Amino acid sequence: MSKKEVIVSGIQPSGEMHIGNYLGALKDFVKLQEEFECYFFIADLHSLTEDYSPEEKRQQITDTLIAFLAAGLDPQKSTIFVQSHVPAHVELAWIFNTLTPINELERMTQYKDKSAKQKKNINVGLLTYPVLQAADILLYHADQVPVGHDQIQHLEMTNIIAKKFNNKYGEYFHEVKAHMKDPVRIMSLTDPEKKMSKSEPGSYVGIFDEPEIIRKKLAKAVTATDAPTGEMPKGVKNLFDLLKEFADPPAGGNTFDKFDKQYKDGSIKYSELKSDLAESLITYFAPFRARRAELTKDTEALTKIMKEGAEKAHTVALKTYKEVYEKVGLVWS
Ligand code: ADP
Ligand code: TRP
């Protein structure tokens, strides 16, 4: 039997998980674990490069783990862990720091965007963020990395670092590829020009939002945006995108088709579309809320999952790190 390809991806624990994150990342992770050798982690160290509060961070790490599990990631199928629990990530990043040209890092879009956003906190971690990400990926010799468009530059950086390493110390790391299947981009409910994001509180529906909150958020969704004649306004298109994802599966049904037809013949009532979509979201995420309630009660089980995941990841990471140590000329103790 041929060896399964390796998939690695991380999500920063920096706020509530929303339906955009779910469609753009988590939902795909859950599918991938059936087919690949998967490493999914909570990128807590990366998230320290942004402004944050320590107490909130601790909770966000646990909440992200709960979101992973509630969405269907299974510790029996995937290696699920917290980045900071596996020290080799930082250790390998240091070696990579010595190989990475500063000017390559300075041209990264995310670095420029974040520096503009947090002018008073342009820390070195923001600059070397892609170096740690390269370590996350190469420690497990990933073949594919499921990420959104915004992360493509960081994958290219990973490949640059791998090449530099190979040129200097001999062929060792192989190229990684982005895994992007039908990348969906869900837009903000309040400003459909921007993407749905946890940094804009009104913009998103959380995967654990209570029914009443979902109804309220959807009722406020913006539909009256300008669009060139003949084109669907962005806010409306966004609601249709969500309908397509959440309205009918798995039972089937024709909610999407019904509203699509009404849109075309001009009889559509957006209040009805919004309330039907709200009910679909409530139904779709009901099992997520139930699993979260169970998981929140069982802190011991969560600790055990974190610990076992870290041990599994550590074993693989340590093997790579030892081999790197040898190659770069350090003395293993
Ligand atoms: P946020 O903007 O909410 O802080 P992140 O930048 O932390 O989200 O992204 C976490 C993951 O979710 C990434 O894989 C990203 O591609 C995906 N993602 C974030 N927002 C959206 C969105 N609006 N639509 C689709 N995918 C998204
Ligand atoms: N930078 C990614 C993001 O913001 C998170 C991340 C950290 C990641 N390390 C990674 C993603 C390694 C894929 C692989 O979404």
Side-chain angles (χ1 to χ4, degrees):
M1 202 179 80
S2 65
K3 208 175 154 296
K4 285 183 185 174
E5 285 206 354
V6 174
I7 294 260
V8 174
S9 197
I11 294 190
Q12 296 192 61
S14 43
E16 258 179 90
M17 196 74 81
H18 54 74
I19 56 177
N21 301 139
Y22 175 69
L23 290 179
L26 255 187
K27 187 175 178 222
D28 208 21
F29 292 2
V30 174
K31 257 195 245 141
L32 290 168
Q33 67 179 349
E34 302 300 332
E35 214 184 310
F36 296 95
E37 180 183 336
C38 291
Y39 297 83
F40 295 122
F41 65 94
I42 297 158
D44 56 345
L45 295 172
H46 275 113
S47 74
L48 303 188
T49 59
E50 295 179 6
D51 297 323
Y52 73 98
S53 101
E55 275 317 311
E56 272 179 25
K57 185 57 67 190
R58 233 184 299 282
Q59 191 56 47
Q60 285 168 342
I61 293 168
T62 313
D63 288 348
T64 308
L65 177 66
I66 291 174
F68 276 16
L69 299 168
L73 284 186
D74 178 351
Q76 303 300 324
K77 296 178 182 162
S78 304
T79 304
I80 301 166
F81 63 101
V82 177
Q83 183 187 35
S84 68
H85 294 179
V86 184
H89 287 243
V90 173
E91 292 167 337
L92 184 60
W94 178 259
I95 308 252
F96 285 171
N97 269 336
T98 68
L99 291 165
T100 312
I102 293 179
N103 62 345
E104 294 276 2
L105 293 175
E106 282 168 340
R107 63 175 190 86
M108 294 287 115
T109 311
Q110 187 180 284
Y111 168 67
K112 289 193 238 169
D113 287 351
K114 287 194 180 171
S115 301
K117 231 198 222 160
Q118 49 188 74
K119 287 200 175 70
K120 293 202 175 120
N121 181 15
I122 308 180
N123 58 81
V124 174
L126 269 189
L127 181 68
T128 60
Y129 184 112
V131 181
L132 180 59
Q133 187 161 347
D136 297 336
I137 295 168
L138 295 174
L139 266 181
Y140 305 95
H141 299 284
D143 296 292
Q144 297 188 50
V145 178
V147 281
H149 282 291
D150 57 327
Q151 294 296 310
I152 295 300
Q153 235 189 2
H154 290 174
L155 286 196
E156 287 164 5
M157 194 67 229
T158 300
N159 284 327
I160 291 175
I161 294 174
K163 234 187 230 152
K164 289 244 175 216
F165 185 97
N166 292 350
N167 288 343
K168 190 160 177 187
Y169 302 113
E171 206 54 33
Y172 181 62
F173 291 116
H174 64 256
E175 199 186 349
V176 301
K177 292 201 170 67
H179 176 97
M180 283 203 299
K181 243 198 220 154
D182 319 325
V184 258
R185 192 154 188 261
I186 302 302
M187 307 313 281
S188 158
L189 295 180
T190 44
D191 178 0
E193 291 293 328
K194 294 192 190 146
K195 74 163 192 140
M196 181 177 282
S197 171
K198 60 196 160 220
S199 52
E200 295 290 333
S203 80
Y204 66 82
V205 173
I207 63 171
F208 297 128
D209 275 350
E210 292 298 332
E212 259 328 292
I213 304 279
I214 298 182
R215 288 188 190 109
K216 271 198 194 129
K217 286 183 177 169
L218 259 298
K220 283 195 196 145
V222 171
T223 46
T225 44
D226 291 340
T229 4
E231 255 180 53
M232 196 181 247
K234 278 195 181 140
V236 176
K237 181 179 176 301
N238 196 39
L239 297 181
F240 270 103
D241 283 347
L242 290 172
L243 266 188
K244 206 182 283 162
E245 295 288 343
F246 295 116
D248 303 317
N254 63 356
T255 316
F256 180 89
D257 294 341
K258 178 181 85 182
F259 285 110
D260 189 46
K261 194 164 158 280
Q262 291 179 357
Y263 179 82
K264 283 173 184 147
D265 69 21
S267 68
I268 192 162
K269 286 204 187 73
Y270 290 130
S271 58
E272 264 174 37
L273 186 158
K274 290 179 190 178
S275 77
D276 273 25
L277 176 57
E279 295 314 310
S280 302
L281 287 168
I282 291 165
T283 309
Y284 188 98
F285 287 106
F288 289 50
R289 290 194 294 280
R291 282 200 289 269
R292 182 174 78 145
E294 288 302 310
L295 290 160
T296 312
K297 275 191 272 175
D298 200 348
T299 44
E300 253 173 60
L302 287 175
T303 310
K304 187 163 174 267
I305 290 170
M306 269 193 211
K307 201 159 169 270
E308 288 178 358
E311 275 165 18
K312 265 164 75 185
H314 181 67
T315 308
V316 180
L318 192 64
K319 180 173 179 294
T320 304
Y321 191 55
K322 270 189 182 167
E323 288 167 1
V324 166
Y325 231 75
E326 291 270 327
K327 285 193 165 287
V328 304
L330 295 173
V331 180
W332 192 258
S333 76

